[in-house]
Amino acid sequence: MLYDVLEHSTDWDTFAGNAAFFRVRMNEGEFVYAIYAAVVHSHLTEHVVLPPLYEVTPHLFTNSEAIQAAYKAKMTQTAVTIKSQFTGSKSNPEQRVAYFGEDIGMNTHHVTWHLEFPFWWDDAHEDHHIDRKGESFFWVHHQLTVRFDAERLSKYLDPVDELHWDNVIYEGFAPHTMYKYGGYFPSRPDNVNFEDVDGVARVRDMLILESRIRDAIAHGYFTGRDGSVISIRDAHGIDILGDVIESSTYSPNPEYYGSLHNTAHVMLGRQGDPHGKFALPPGVLEHFETATRDPAFFRLHKYMDNIFREHKDSLTPYTKEDLEFSGVSVEGITFSNRLETHFEEFEYSLVNAVDDTTEVKDVPISATVDRLTHNDFTHKIDVANNNDHEVLATVRIFAWPKYDNNHVEFSFNEGRWNAIEMDKFWVKLGGGSNHITRSSKLSALTVPDVPSSQTLIDKANEALTSGSELHLEEYHSSLGLPNRFLLPKGKTEGMDFHVVVFVSDGATDAAVSGLHESTTFNHYGCYDGNYPDKKPHGYPLDRRVDDERIITGVSNFKAVDVKVYHTEEH
């Protein structure tokens, strides 16, 4: 309701006035969600940059031990910097990859995507339709899943197994996280069986919903609430399937197919207290900010991902004619320097973690946390255009781990499903040889860190004092992975990755007119209301490959092997 009030404010004074009025009258969590969603979607706030969520609601991003130390610092009026640790201990193998799921940039990425593509979005109350929303739901979570698997391989762990309603939940989880008001996030012990959750769903209900969705995939169509047959045997089918699985208001028949994903998050999040016996608050899986902290999040999404794959594998594979770009060939792929990852220490404010009063002054309180990053690098791609005219091309770059945890090489078909999207951009190819250089910092899939609250305040005050413009253009959209997460973690001795580049016809790919080299994809976002690339997310690796020679044999496709190294000290 508050989102609707803000989104439908007709001018800036009304928007800002409503925000100020409700800020002191509503639950903090509700207010923060509504204001961030409204700023993302309102035309009045296109260029507004809000502070990073991990500084606004630090309880949801920071271990409770650090929060308790922050309260002590406030009470004793002592400025302090607190080291925030990852959850678990070395006795828990999952702790080896906690740096990924608990990364504050990863958590922000997840919540930001759900703010941009909310499941409750209703076209009847808004001024536009969100293009390819269901497909984007599939793709962003598929990418999180395959990236998590790559991180596991770098730590000598097997790819994550799917979770299922009939099976034991092997990994427990102790979040070490607390609500600002409402106690600690509940834990889940090892080796528990799924139980019915009072007021949410029975385990049997989840099996029935899954069966109905798999049945629709096998038949190649969904049944609409009016009895209509909605085919999914084409490139658009993944969009409908995503709407159904999430489910969103775009689902053609939520009464029959339910809300598999959203209900599953609540079911899994409540397994610590399924019958409400202990009146525990919601679990980490029930908040977008905290969901990826629990390793079971990735098991749950591997389960969803396998359902999506069933559909994708039912589609006819691409033919050589589908893939060719006449007259264009990729001649070579190199990198400007050694690909290297390392950990860096990052500091952020915890001032909002503690209670506030005009009688007691704020003191500087911050947390530091280790986070994965990589050295900048540049893709160097040589492309020949043998046509007698300039052509617009779409360059698509992917990478996947070459070997599994037993050093067995992935087949092309397995590898392409595990492919990590690295970049996608347009370029004009002149006749003859073209040397394309593309910095990792320009990737369409990543965004920089939003400046801290204090930095935004200082920049705004400086602009007001000097009467100059406030330039925050690069932060207008925070939709994307952290730019330091583009490269998966390597190994000390080097981890082998298979890198592929596919150059397709940009003119044929374009879903909107007037595209040029500076037009960006904005990480599954829209361009004038439409996603600019009409090809499916993951193209040309999104469909099964029965014979890899069909795709590797076209001249506009090229693959190389490369090692990614990791250094412990930097």
Side-chain angles (χ1 to χ4, degrees), residues 26-47:
M26 284 190 68
N27 170 282
E28 282 186 15
E30 287 181 327
F31 176 79
V32 169
Y33 183 85
I35 194 77
Y36 272 76
V39 165
V40 164
H41 293 286
S42 173
H43 295 300
L44 298 171
T45 50
E46 275 182 75
H47 302 135

Side-chain angles (χ1 to χ4, degrees), residues 131-132 426 506-515 521 527-528 530-535:
D131 191 33
R132 293 167 64 176
W426 286 286
T508 303
D509 298 343
V512 294
S513 59
L515 297 185
F521 285 92
Y527 174 80
D528 289 343
N530 291 294
Y531 189 77
D533 176 27
K534 70 170 66 165
K535 295 296 187 186

Side-chain angles (χ1 to χ4, degrees), residues 328-333 381-384 501-503 554-559:
V328 173
S329 59
V330 182
E331 303 294 324
I333 310 164
I381 307 166
D382 292 315
V383 181
V501 172
F502 182 76
V503 178
V554 296
S555 62
N556 48 314
F557 177 94
K558 184 82 173 175

Side-chain angles (χ1 to χ4, degrees), residues 168-424:
V168 172
I169 310 168
Y170 293 104
E171 293 93 10
F173 182 60
H176 287 258
T177 317
M178 61 195 291
Y179 286 93
K180 189 171 185 180
Y181 310 109
Y184 287 83
F185 279 91
S187 299
R188 183 186 64 251
D190 284 339
N191 301 313
V192 299
N193 289 297
F194 269 107
E195 289 192 45
D196 299 345
V197 175
D198 294 358
V200 178
R202 301 170 302 173
V203 174
R204 181 168 169 266
D205 296 332
M206 305 306 289
L207 288 165
I208 290 169
L209 293 180
E210 177 195 336
S211 175
R212 289 173 179 176
I213 292 169
R214 289 188 185 274
D215 191 54
I217 291 169
H219 282 92
Y221 66 86
F222 284 103
T223 303
R225 52 161 62 94
D226 60 355
S228 59
V229 172
I230 304 165
S231 175
I232 56 171
R233 284 278 166 84
D234 56 22
H236 180 60
I238 189 71
D239 192 36
I240 299 166
L241 181 59
D243 289 334
V244 167
I245 286 179
E246 187 179 15
S247 78
S248 71
T249 58
Y250 289 1
S251 173
N253 195 349
E255 294 83 6
Y256 184 71
Y257 297 108
S259 181
L260 186 66
H261 166 266
N262 294 347
T263 308
H265 266 266
V266 181
M267 286 283 286
L268 184 54
R270 299 274 174 96
Q271 289 305 306
D273 186 23
H275 307 298
K277 181 179 178 181
F278 306 106
L280 295 178
V284 293
L285 282 154
E286 296 179 67
H287 294 268
F288 298 129
E289 296 93 332
T290 55
T292 62
R293 297 176 72 89
D294 188 341
F297 168 90
F298 296 99
R299 292 191 64 193
L300 178 63
H301 276 280
K302 179 64 75 74
Y303 158 72
M304 305 285 172
D305 208 48
N306 287 341
I307 298 175
F308 280 117
R309 184 172 184 177
E310 248 178 68
H311 162 68
K312 280 288 191 177
D313 283 354
S314 74
L315 301 177
T316 305
Y318 295 117
T319 64
K320 184 180 178 185
E321 290 71 31
D322 293 330
L323 300 172
E324 284 179 322
F325 186 6
S326 179
V328 173
S329 59
V330 182
E331 303 294 324
I333 310 164
T334 57
F335 294 89
S336 58
N337 48 277
R338 184 169 110 144
L339 303 181
E340 192 174 285
T341 61
H342 59 272
F343 284 96
E344 65 178 11
E345 192 172 72
F346 179 71
E347 185 173 349
Y348 61 99
S349 172
L350 290 184
V351 168
N352 282 331
V354 295
D355 289 317
D356 200 66
T357 174
T358 53
E359 285 77 41
V360 181
K361 290 198 317 186
D362 283 337
V363 292
I365 306 172
S366 60
T368 60
V369 65
D370 293 330
R371 60 183 198 171
L372 183 68
T373 186
H374 59 79
N375 293 347
D376 293 333
F377 61 93
T378 300
H379 299 278
K380 296 182 176 181
I381 307 166
D382 292 315
V383 181
N385 174 18
N386 298 316
N387 296 293
D388 57 5
H389 56 274
E390 184 180 76
V391 295
L392 180 67
T394 315
V395 180
R396 306 164 191 274
I397 308 174
F398 301 89
W400 65 78
K402 188 175 180 182
Y403 301 106
D404 69 11
N405 204 27
N406 294 314
H407 206 70
V408 175
E409 185 172 348
F410 286 111
S411 68
F412 189 92
N413 192 47
E414 276 306 302
R416 63 94 200 165
W417 183 254
N418 294 315
I420 294 166
E421 188 174 21
M422 301 291 287
D423 205 353
K424 179 162 57 175

